[in-house]
Amino acid sequence: MGKSKAQKSKIRKNNPIGIPSMKELEEREELMITNFETGTVESIIDKLQSRAADDKECAAFTIANMADNPKFVASLLENKVIRIAAPLLVDRNVAVRHAIAGCLRNLAACGDHSVSQAMVDQDILTSLVTLFQQYKDPWAPCKSLENKTDSKTEIFLEACNLLWSLCENSDTAVAVFNTKNLVSILLPCLDISVYDLQIPLAVAQCLHTVVEDNSEVIEVLKQPLVLEQLKALMCLSPTEPEHTLLKTLAAGIVLNLFSATFNDCMNDISVKVLEVVASTLDEPVKRLLDLLAEQISSHKLIKLDKYHDEKDLEEKEAAVNKTVKHLDHVLPAKQIALEILTNVCFGNDSSDDWEDLSSSDASDEAEMDVDETEASLMKLGLRIPSEIHGIIVNGKFLEKVIDQIITPSDEVYDVIKGSSLASECLKRLNTVKSRALLCLNNLIHGLELEDLGGPPKLFELWYNIGELLFKKTDTSNIEQLEAVTSSMRAVLKKLAETDCSSEFSCTTERDLDLLIDMYQTVQEPSIKVNIIHALGTIGCLLENLKLPTTFVLIGKIGSFLLDVASKDSHIWVVAEALDILLDVFAEDHLDLLAQRICLVEKLTNMLQFLKGRIKQQRKSLGEHLPLIITVKTNLLRFIKYKNDCNKK
């Protein structure tokens, strides 16, 4: 009956360490082990405080190469090493500045939210802002000789990526970004005719993060000249993978600029944003994965040959690196495109409405009106704005989204997973898959049955999602498991709304056991709720068949839901189980079955316990409170009605 408003998801960053060679990887591993065994942190502090530039560079190199070691990073933070290293961002020696910017970038990008926040707490921003202010005046990359590093450009690139990580994880960093007007320093660097592609990409990624719900930055980016520049980036031809990512980032920025009035811009902004989404989703990936597996296998074969030609080996490695780089740009672009489409499909619901509902002071004596609450919840449900509906349907966006749920063959997967250079691609691929499933969830909620291809196509989709859930989903991957179960729940709900019960006439106890067993293995409440709704909806579909053979299955579902309602520690999960249980057993012809599982008796025993938990936890229930209050009221009515029926 009730829905929880999903949080907008944010894109994860590319591997900040880049694509090292096989030799570099081996040297890096050896260096990490040696350093960690010889009291690294104390040595790093000494070298950072040394007068010798070489010592400072050596310390930075060690930090950069051990940034993905949690124990090492924890030790760095505990010893306040960031406070010592950060001022070197503006060291007189260019090589030191470059090395320090790179190592701090790696730390922030490899770490989680707590690492970035700790870096902010240790005053990294003072020096980082000072570094950016050195780029305040107009500048351009040096057209240097081959093999000569343009340090000024490289330092700016590292600083942009560091700022991106900090702003993504720290509100304090965003506040400093605004206060110091860093947007004015970044904006000129979106010009690809001056800065090529890497600098504009880093700037766009940073802006894509800081612009969300940031009125100060939004005001600046809405200026006509800036907006025209963003529109120009959105029109880039996807001839290079970098172009694909850059134009998609620009579309994401523009969506954030006009998110409150997106539906009013149909003649310009909305159409362009959706065109970029379609173009990005059309970029092929499966072919690249197959190619990458072939290249890795070829490289491995040559390396195993002790008489191999070194030049041939380098060429094979270069081919692998090129394909990995391609995927490193295309997969994040697809992720952003799917997030854009997901948010477009969500409509313009205001979180204030949810807060109003959540802060209700309903009590036992003055229950909130159930019909009024349900109507409010319906208003807040997912919907696709009518102006955008035609573009999505005619542009076959549903098919494009389904195509993103890519699972490579076992052979290809194993080859890529075994490669030090390419294994990160699989993580990004899984993220894209999760975003595609969440986007699919919103599309199913917002489109009509005919837009989804009718009952046969929808049932086929349900079957395919089931295959994905039970055969190709890692149950330890919480994000992906939640995405798959959300999509399954959405498909089943749409099938139930359109009375496609006949499609489920062949359902068996084994089918139900698969979902029940899955429920027993998970701890995340949101995943539990998805599985509860999936089973409950199947129960409603079976009930519509009114066949004797389905009664056993409905009884099994009812017993499972009763068990969940009586044992689960999360009151939200309990309420959802009760909610769907009342739907399954709403019809009078199931009263005999209800008696067999002692439904009314068990619900009566639960009622007082439920009331007590609501009173104790009311202030902490947040957005789930309206649903829980509604379920309690409906439970009272259900018990009274069934008891009256049994007396007759």
Side-chain angles (χ1 to χ4, degrees), residues 355-396:
E355 290 169 6
D356 291 342
L357 282 173
S358 299
S359 61
S360 170
D361 291 325
S363 64
D364 291 337
E365 291 75 22
E367 298 285 358
M368 71 162 65
D369 185 85
V370 178
D371 294 333
E372 181 181 337
T373 304
E374 289 180 350
S376 299
L377 290 169
M378 285 296 289
K379 284 182 185 177
L380 297 173
L382 295 174
R383 62 179 183 271
I384 294 178
S386 57
E387 298 88 348
I388 293 173
H389 179 273
I391 297 177
I392 289 176
V393 173
N394 296 330
K396 300 187 182 302

Side-chain angles (χ1 to χ4, degrees), residues 4-197:
S4 300
K5 187 170 183 178
Q7 297 290 321
K8 291 182 180 180
S9 46
K10 293 184 179 180
I11 184 170
R12 289 185 63 82
K13 295 164 284 304
N14 288 335
N15 178 5
I17 300 170
I19 306 174
S21 67
M22 295 289 189
K23 186 177 180 182
E24 287 171 332
L25 281 168
E26 291 166 357
E27 290 175 350
R28 174 188 171 198
E29 184 177 0
E30 194 174 316
L31 177 67
M32 285 173 64
I33 294 170
T34 303
N35 283 338
F36 199 68
E37 290 175 348
T38 56
T40 328
V41 174
E42 292 78 7
S43 174
I44 286 172
I45 292 174
D46 289 341
K47 285 183 169 62
L48 288 174
Q49 294 176 330
S50 168
R51 292 186 177 184
D54 287 349
D55 285 344
K56 296 173 185 176
E57 285 186 68
C58 180
F61 181 76
T62 303
I63 293 172
N65 283 286
M66 295 185 69
D68 55 359
N69 185 313
K71 290 183 179 179
F72 170 75
V73 174
S75 183
L76 281 183
L77 299 177
E78 184 180 347
N79 287 275
K80 310 293 184 186
V81 174
I82 307 304
R83 194 176 293 277
I84 299 169
L88 298 179
L89 285 168
V90 288
D91 192 88
R92 292 181 180 180
N93 188 295
V94 175
V96 171
R97 291 205 304 271
H98 189 181
I100 292 295
C103 79
L104 294 177
R105 171 202 182 186
N106 283 9
L107 276 177
C110 291
D112 58 13
H113 169 272
S114 63
V115 173
S116 290
Q117 189 57 55
M119 295 174 75
V120 171
D121 293 341
Q122 293 185 31
D123 198 26
I124 191 175
L125 290 169
T126 298
S127 299
L128 184 58
V129 168
T130 303
L131 174 61
F132 271 110
Q133 287 173 342
Q134 296 178 5
Y135 294 83
K136 200 168 186 178
D137 296 329
W139 68 282
C142 297
K143 302 296 182 182
S144 58
L145 297 174
E146 189 178 355
N147 296 326
K148 187 176 180 181
T149 303
D150 174 11
S151 296
K152 185 172 185 177
T153 301
E154 291 294 331
I155 293 170
F156 185 84
L157 184 62
E158 301 284 17
C160 273
N161 283 288
L162 172 57
L163 181 64
W164 171 27
S165 297
L166 296 175
C167 288
E168 190 171 50
N169 292 301
S170 169
D171 292 337
T172 303
V174 175
V176 170
F177 183 96
N178 291 346
T179 303
K180 299 301 182 179
N181 194 25
L182 294 183
V183 68
S184 65
I185 297 173
L186 296 186
L187 276 178
C189 300
L190 285 174
D191 189 344
I192 61 176
S193 65
V194 176
Y195 298 95
D196 199 26
L197 288 171

Side-chain angles (χ1 to χ4, degrees), residues 221-457:
L221 297 186
K222 275 189 171 182
Q223 295 174 8
L225 289 178
V226 178
L227 196 54
E228 285 304 312
Q229 188 175 26
L230 290 170
K231 289 180 181 178
L233 292 177
M234 289 167 61
C235 294
L236 284 173
S237 175
T239 52
E240 299 293 335
E242 291 88 349
H243 288 173
T244 300
L245 179 54
L246 186 54
K247 68 185 294 183
T248 312
L249 283 165
I253 294 169
V254 169
L255 175 66
N256 278 299
L257 297 183
F258 296 97
S259 58
T261 57
F262 191 73
N263 303 340
D264 300 327
C265 311
M266 281 306 299
N267 293 328
D268 187 13
I269 301 296
S270 302
V271 174
K272 282 186 169 61
V273 167
L274 290 173
E275 284 176 352
V276 172
V277 169
S279 171
T280 300
L281 294 182
D282 284 338
E283 285 289 312
V285 167
K286 190 175 183 304
R287 176 178 57 79
L288 285 173
L289 293 171
D290 293 341
L291 173 62
L292 180 59
E294 290 177 13
Q295 292 170 334
I296 292 170
S297 298
S298 179
H299 176 271
K300 187 176 181 180
L301 283 174
I302 293 177
K303 191 175 181 182
L304 290 173
D305 181 1
K306 61 181 179 180
Y307 300 111
H308 67 261
D309 184 291
E310 195 64 32
K311 183 178 179 181
D312 193 17
L313 183 64
E314 290 176 0
E315 288 176 354
K316 295 295 184 184
E317 184 176 320
V320 172
N321 286 341
K322 183 178 179 181
T323 305
V324 168
K325 184 180 178 182
H326 193 148
L327 287 165
D328 282 348
H329 288 93
V330 170
L331 290 175
K334 284 179 176 289
Q335 181 181 335
I336 297 167
L338 289 164
E339 289 168 356
I340 290 172
L341 186 57
T342 299
N343 291 328
V344 166
C345 293
F346 198 88
N348 298 323
D349 302 328
S350 170
S351 58
D352 294 338
D353 296 331
W354 288 91
E355 290 169 6
D356 291 342
L357 282 173
S358 299
S359 61
S360 170
D361 291 325
S363 64
D364 291 337
E365 291 75 22
E367 298 285 358
M368 71 162 65
D369 185 85
V370 178
D371 294 333
E372 181 181 337
T373 304
E374 289 180 350
S376 299
L377 290 169
M378 285 296 289
K379 284 182 185 177
L380 297 173
L382 295 174
R383 62 179 183 271
I384 294 178
S386 57
E387 298 88 348
I388 293 173
H389 179 273
I391 297 177
I392 289 176
V393 173
N394 296 330
K396 300 187 182 302
F397 276 71
L398 178 67
E399 290 83 350
K400 293 180 190 295
V401 171
I402 292 173
D403 286 343
Q404 310 311 308
I405 307 173
I406 303 165
T407 303
S409 68
D410 292 342
E411 182 183 359
V412 169
Y413 181 90
D414 290 341
V415 170
I416 297 176
K417 186 178 181 180
S419 168
S420 301
L421 290 176
S423 58
E424 284 293 315
C425 292
L426 295 178
K427 294 181 181 178
R428 297 191 186 98
L429 185 66
N430 279 331
T431 302
V432 170
K433 186 189 297 184
S434 295
R435 297 297 187 274
L437 287 161
L438 291 174
C439 185
L440 179 63
N441 174 58
N442 280 16
L443 284 171
I444 291 168
H445 275 295
L447 294 175
E448 298 298 327
L449 180 63
E450 55 270 22
D451 300 328
L452 298 169
K457 283 288 184 184

